[in-house]
């Protein structure tokens, strides 16, 4: 992986001189942003075109996902008090760190992805860029693999395992490749609207079914359905830590945000998009899991659809999840492909024009990403454990550490200038502590869970066994 070109070097290779001239003098960031948008709009394929409304739909499409339905299980492990506190605290930190990230990017208009962010925030370090690039690729491709596996699980459930699971995974992969064809996030944002609507319908059906059925799946093996304020006796620290990681994983999507901001026509409007996402998240990330825990209690599973007692209910609600599963995979694939694509084609005309080479390279990169994701989905026996590992190893940086360091850069020399600034500084110190905690004890708990799962029976690679719920 080659080091990126930044500021003067990158800007001097653009098709106009306006941006380079602005970067070479004392122009404001706003002027550079305007020049970048103007320069982009002269291309055949325009990237910087999203309005804040379309960005809000893109954010909602990314966040309104299957992971919401794993939160009832987290509550069943942690209990009401630690569970709700973790959810509310994760939401507050998400809002605060996202605003810090936006402020930092507005001061550094050249940032186009999380790797650029890492490069700048750690003192224009090439090592930081390479490290961030590795984490971006590993995180996103493994997540794409998880979405392929989820697609196979849904198809297995709906068809009562009418085909080999590997075949269903291949079908999900092909569908994902087709949905990933658009090169601009503005086009993907239209699909995100449909994705969020389908996931919302799946959640609504789950809430209705869990309320009207007589008992959840597995009843009465563990006694009457009950809820509790704190973890039940015998709950291990590793279980609690993985439940916390499950919650933070849902609340930490910032790995994609720099790319989203870079494709907005008015990036200064991103907080409006963020506010829409925050409102949606506060409702969907807390209310449905709480209702699910109320009705399912200790029988809650991840995803919660699997706890419904009737197969008809499981199929009717889980089936709608196929849409967000594939579209969210397409969002991660788009961001990943752009990172690879920019290194392959750089600033050549093929990078922003409808040429055979440009589209050919884009198609090959996208196919390669989904194929590697497919391989991961088949060879990793417990993808859920690896997502906990991702949450601890990567989200600790992309959700916490990066933004604590960015805050220090933004307010260096005036960290304690007044009561308000002092409070914000102390909160970002807490953000750093959270990141280090996830990276330390959190990573240990995720590894312990993987070791425990692998000590039992492990599914063979490319197994035809049913994954249906």
């Amino acid at each position: 992986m080659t080091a990126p070109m930044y500021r003067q070097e990158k800007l001097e290779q653009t098709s106009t001189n306006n941006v380079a001239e602005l970067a070479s003098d004392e122009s404001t960031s706003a002027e550079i942003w305007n020049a970048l948008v103007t320069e982009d709009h002269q291309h055949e394929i325009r990237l910087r075109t999203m309005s804040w409304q379309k960005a809000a739909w893109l954010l909602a499409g990314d966040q309104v996902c299957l992971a919401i339905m794993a939160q009832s299980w987290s509550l069943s492990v942690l209990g009401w008090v630690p569970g709700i506190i973790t959810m509310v605290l994760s939401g507050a930190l998400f809002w605060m760190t996202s605003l810090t990230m936006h402020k930092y990017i507005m001061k550094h208009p050249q940032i186009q992805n999380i790797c650029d962010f890492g490069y700048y925030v750690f003192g224009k370090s090439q090592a930081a860029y390479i490290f961030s690039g590795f984490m971006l690729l590993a995180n996103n491709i493994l997540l794409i693999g998880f979405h392929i596996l989820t697609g196979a699980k849904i198809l297995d459930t709906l068809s009562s395992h009418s085909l080999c699971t590997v075949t269903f995974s291949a079908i999900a992969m092909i569908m994902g490749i087709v949905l990933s064809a658009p090169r601009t996030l503005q086009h993907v944002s239209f699909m995100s609207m449909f994705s969020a609507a389908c996931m919302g319908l799946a959640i609504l059906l789950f809430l209705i079914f869990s309320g009207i059925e007589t008992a959840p799946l597995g009843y009465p093996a563990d006694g009457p359905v009950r809820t509790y304020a704190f973890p039940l006796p015998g709950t291990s620290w590793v279980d609690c830590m993985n439940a916390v990681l499950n919650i933070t994983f849902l609340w930490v999507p910032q790995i994609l945000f720099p790319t989203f901001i870079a494709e907005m026509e008015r990036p200064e409007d991103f907080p409006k998009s963020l506010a829409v996402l925050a409102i949606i998240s506060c409702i969907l990330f807390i209310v449905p899991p709480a209702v699910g825990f109320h009705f399912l209690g200790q029988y809650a599973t991840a995803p919660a659809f699997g706890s419904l007692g009737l197969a008809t209910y499981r199929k009717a609600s889980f089936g709608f999840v196929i849409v967000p599963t594939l579209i969210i995979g397409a969002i991660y694939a788009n961001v990943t492909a752009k990172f690879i694509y920019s290194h392959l084609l750089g600033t050549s005309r093929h990078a922003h024009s409808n040429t055979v080479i440009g589209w050919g390279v884009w198609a090959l990169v996208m196919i390669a990403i989904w194929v590697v994701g497919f391989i991961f989905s088949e060879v990793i026996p417990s993808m859920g454990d690896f997502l906990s590992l991702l949450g601890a190893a990567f989200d600790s940086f992309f959700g916490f550490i990066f933004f604590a360091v960015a805050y220090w850069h933004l307010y260096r020399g005036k960290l304690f200038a007044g009561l308000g600034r002092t409070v914000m500084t102390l909160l970002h110190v807490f953000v750093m502590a959270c990141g280090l905690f996830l990276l330390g004890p959190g990573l240990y708990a995720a590894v312990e869970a993987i070791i425990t799962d692998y000590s039992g029976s492990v599914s063979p690679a490319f197994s035809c066994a049913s994954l249906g719920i």
Side-chain angles (χ1 to χ4, degrees):
M1 184 184 300
T2 59
M5 296 177 294
Y6 283 97
R7 205 164 181 85
Q8 194 66 29
E9 298 99 316
K10 180 184 286 186
L11 298 176
E12 284 176 352
Q13 293 195 19
T14 58
S15 59
T16 67
N17 293 324
N18 295 336
V19 180
E21 290 173 359
L22 283 171
S24 64
D25 59 26
E26 298 301 321
S27 301
T28 65
S29 295
E31 291 173 320
I32 297 176
W33 272 112
N34 291 334
L36 286 168
V37 172
T38 300
E39 192 271 338
D40 174 79
H41 286 189
Q42 295 174 5
H43 295 158
E44 191 173 0
I45 296 177
R46 301 171 183 176
L47 298 179
R48 299 178 184 269
T49 54
M50 274 200 303
S51 64
W52 73 264
Q53 293 93 339
K54 290 177 182 176
W57 276 115
L58 189 64
L59 291 172
D62 173 50
Q63 282 296 87
V64 182
C65 60
L66 181 62
I68 295 172
M69 302 309 297
Q71 304 310 301
S72 294
W73 170 81
S74 294
L75 287 174
S76 74
V77 174
L78 297 172
W80 285 115
V81 177
I84 296 298
I85 288 175
T86 302
M87 289 176 174
V88 173
L89 182 61
S90 297
L93 294 181
F94 157 75
W95 173 258
M96 184 175 66
T97 53
S98 296
L99 289 179
T100 298
M101 175 206 65
H102 176 254
K103 289 178 182 177
Y104 190 83
I105 290 176
M106 291 306 295
K107 288 183 176 293
H108 298 85
Q110 298 86 344
I111 292 176
Q112 295 182 5
N113 51 51
I114 195 68
C115 307
D116 293 352
F117 193 97
Y119 174 87
Y120 271 99
V121 84
F122 289 105
K124 296 186 178 182
S125 166
Q126 180 178 343
Y129 183 87
I130 294 173
F131 178 63
S132 300
F134 166 75
M135 291 199 297
L136 173 72
L137 294 176
N139 182 80
N140 289 8
I141 292 176
L142 279 172
L143 278 174
I144 290 168
F146 175 76
H147 284 88
I148 291 173
L149 195 66
T150 302
K153 184 187 290 284
I154 295 168
L155 295 175
D156 249 340
T157 300
L158 294 177
S159 68
S160 299
H161 192 50
S162 62
L163 293 174
C164 172
T165 298
V166 177
T167 303
F168 282 136
S169 294
I171 292 172
M173 177 191 68
I174 294 170
M175 294 170 68
I177 292 172
V178 173
L179 290 172
S180 302
R183 284 166 64 176
T184 67
L185 286 173
Q186 176 174 237
H187 290 90
V188 178
S189 69
F190 288 109
M191 294 189 291
S192 296
M193 297 168 61
F194 189 51
S195 170
C198 286
M199 191 66 222
L201 184 57
I203 293 172
L204 179 61
L205 288 173
F206 162 76
L207 295 177
I208 294 172
F209 293 150
S210 63
I212 65 176
E213 69 176 2
T214 55
L217 188 67
Y219 176 86
D222 197 23
V225 174
R226 64 189 188 280
T227 63
Y228 28 89
F230 295 94
L232 293 174
T235 303
S236 68
W237 179 84
V238 171
D239 289 336
C240 290
M241 194 64 229
N242 276 310
V244 169
L245 287 172
N246 193 51
I247 294 172
T248 57
F249 176 80
L250 178 61
W251 280 100
V252 180
Q254 290 102 323
I255 188 173
L256 304 178
F257 285 8
T259 305
F260 293 175
I261 294 172
E263 294 199 24
M264 291 183 69
E265 191 165 19
R266 291 176 52 84
E268 63 270 23
D269 288 341
F270 181 73
K272 297 179 184 178
S273 309
L274 194 64
V276 173
L277 175 63
I279 294 171
I280 294 173
S281 298
C282 286
I283 297 171
L284 291 182
F285 290 6
I286 297 177
V287 176
V291 174
F293 181 45
H294 170 75
F295 286 117
L296 302 176
Q298 72 275 25
Y299 293 99
T301 60
F305 300 110
S307 299
L308 295 174
L310 296 178
T312 303
Y313 288 171
R314 293 196 294 272
K315 291 182 179 181
S317 54
F318 195 38
F320 284 98
V321 183
I322 189 66
V323 176
T325 294
L326 296 174
I327 291 177
I328 293 172
I331 294 173
Y332 278 93
N334 185 284
V335 172
T336 308
K338 280 192 172 77
F339 174 71
I340 300 172
Y341 191 77
S342 65
H343 281 275
L344 293 175
L345 295 183
T347 57
S348 71
R349 68 183 183 88
H350 303 292
H352 47 71
S353 301
N354 289 313
T355 65
V356 174
I357 292 178
W359 278 104
V361 171
W362 177 262
L364 290 175
V365 168
M366 194 60 73
I367 291 171
I369 288 171
W370 279 93
V371 168
V372 174
F374 168 78
I375 294 172
F376 276 125
S377 74
E378 297 302 315
V379 301
I380 296 178
S382 180
M383 185 65 78
D385 285 341
F386 274 82
L387 289 182
S388 294
L389 186 67
L390 286 178
F394 297 164
D395 289 350
S396 56
F397 286 98
F398 293 144
F400 299 92
I401 295 174
F402 272 28
F403 308 120
V405 177
Y407 178 87
W408 178 77
H409 280 295
L410 285 170
Y411 300 103
R412 184 169 41 182
K414 48 183 179 181
L415 294 172
F416 302 98
L419 179 60
R421 181 55 52 213
T422 299
V423 171
M424 290 302 296
T425 297
L426 294 177
L427 286 174
H428 279 81
V429 170
F430 179 68
V431 167
M432 174 63 81
C434 289
L436 294 176
F437 180 78
L438 289 180
L439 191 59
L443 188 60
Y444 169 79
V447 172
E448 281 294 312
I450 291 174
I451 293 173
T452 300
D453 280 353
Y454 275 55
S455 64
S457 59
V458 177
S459 301
F462 295 95
S463 171
C464 277
S466 176
L467 294 176
I469 60 175

